[in-house]
Amino acid sequence: GSGLCSWQVIGSVATLVLNLLVFCTGLALSQNDYHLTQWGICVAAFYVLVILRVLKYVKLVHDVQRHAQELSSQKASQEHSDSVLNHVLKNIMVDSFNSVDLFFDGVGNEVLVEARDLMFRGMWWCRMREAILNVMRGTYTPAFTEVNLQEFARDLCKGRCKVSWTAPNVTVRLESLLCNIILDNAITNAIRHGCPNGPQVEVEVKLLDDNETLQFFVRNRAKRGREPLQK
């Protein structure tokens, strides 16, 4: 796009210069005796037209280059968004496969319930792709809705039978999408990097006494020998 516009600018300038040469040559070869002032006015007017035309095409090139940069930025944001979504869905599919595998190994039907809940979380993430893309682009507009904290915590931990949760039975205004993205990754990391024999992940939601501030805690049983996290 920008290369094409550059050639257009070059072609336009060359055409105008050629026209100027033809114009000046015609004046010089003419039988009429032009006054010097008339020559100056005509040439100056022609140069003004040349400059205006060049400025027009320079602006066109700049606009096309800016548009190309915006498209490149949008593509990078889309790739980043899809990378995040792919990472989440990969973890969900692995956990779901393990649950189904346990069922065929003779474990009870509860593992199928866990697999079903994992699929529910996967479908939720797929529906949120456009919102995640807007977050990555920096164009997401927060949307606060009425949310019951117990329902929010239950849905957040759905499909993770080894994750316990506590939350007050109150309804608050919450940006649930952003909270889900952050907490889902925090829970996944707590499971993956916790004690391999049982990370004992706990999710706790607290509403402070001012009834305006929420606190979210994700705790796990640390892996032995692992350096403690730095705040």
Side-chain angles (χ1 to χ4, degrees):
S2 59
L4 177 61
C5 287
S6 298
W7 280 109
Q8 288 178 338
V9 172
I10 294 173
S12 299
V13 172
T15 301
L16 290 171
V17 170
L18 181 61
N19 290 336
L20 179 61
L21 290 175
V22 172
F23 174 76
C24 293
T25 302
L27 288 176
L29 296 179
S30 175
Q31 298 296 322
N32 296 323
D33 184 17
Y34 291 98
H35 191 272
L36 182 61
T37 302
Q38 293 175 326
W39 271 80
I41 292 174
C42 292
V43 173
F46 208 86
Y47 269 113
V48 169
L49 292 176
V50 170
I51 292 172
L52 291 176
R53 180 63 66 88
V54 170
L55 290 177
K56 174 184 176 182
Y57 279 103
V58 168
K59 182 179 182 300
L60 176 62
V61 171
H62 179 268
D63 290 342
V64 170
Q65 290 177 339
R66 178 174 54 82
H67 185 60
Q69 290 175 350
E70 291 176 354
L71 289 177
S72 177
S73 177
Q74 290 177 3
K75 182 181 178 182
S77 298
Q78 183 174 354
E79 290 176 349
H80 191 186
S81 172
D82 288 340
S83 175
V84 171
L85 185 59
N86 178 67
H87 176 73
V88 172
L89 292 178
K90 179 189 69 176
N91 290 332
I92 290 175
M93 293 303 295
V94 169
D95 292 339
S96 180
F97 175 83
N98 290 336
S99 296
V100 175
D101 203 34
L102 287 173
F103 172 76
F104 284 111
D105 286 342
V107 180
N109 291 339
E110 64 273 8
V111 292
L112 288 182
V113 176
E114 182 177 357
R116 180 199 62 189
D117 292 340
L118 284 165
M119 292 298 179
F120 167 84
R121 289 181 47 239
M123 290 187 293
W124 182 90
W125 275 98
C126 289
R127 289 197 301 268
M128 292 298 106
R129 179 184 179 277
E130 189 65 28
I132 297 171
L133 178 58
N134 289 332
V135 171
M136 297 303 173
R137 287 175 179 169
T139 58
Y140 179 75
T141 302
F144 290 85
T145 56
E146 301 289 331
V147 176
N148 180 275
L149 290 180
Q150 283 192 349
E151 294 178 0
F152 173 82
R154 184 187 64 239
D155 290 342
L156 178 67
C157 299
K158 184 173 288 188
R160 291 167 165 150
C161 62
K162 297 179 182 179
V163 177
S164 61
W165 59 268
T166 57
N169 187 19
V170 295
T171 300
V172 299
R173 288 184 58 79
L174 183 68
E175 219 309 337
S176 57
L177 173 66
L178 295 181
C179 289
N180 264 292
I181 293 175
I182 295 170
L183 292 171
D184 190 277
N185 281 280
I187 294 171
T188 299
N189 288 333
I191 295 173
R192 299 290 183 210
H193 305 295
C195 180
N197 296 325
Q200 299 177 0
V201 178
E202 301 175 357
V203 177
E204 182 182 6
V205 184
K206 281 187 177 181
L207 179 63
L208 299 189
D209 294 337
D210 58 7
N211 289 327
E212 294 182 356
T213 306
L214 280 174
Q215 289 183 334
F216 297 93
F217 299 90
V218 178
R219 304 182 181 92
N220 70 342
R221 180 185 174 196
K223 184 178 181 180
R224 179 174 299 180
R226 191 178 185 89
E227 292 292 330
L229 296 177
Q230 301 296 324
K231 290 185 179 180

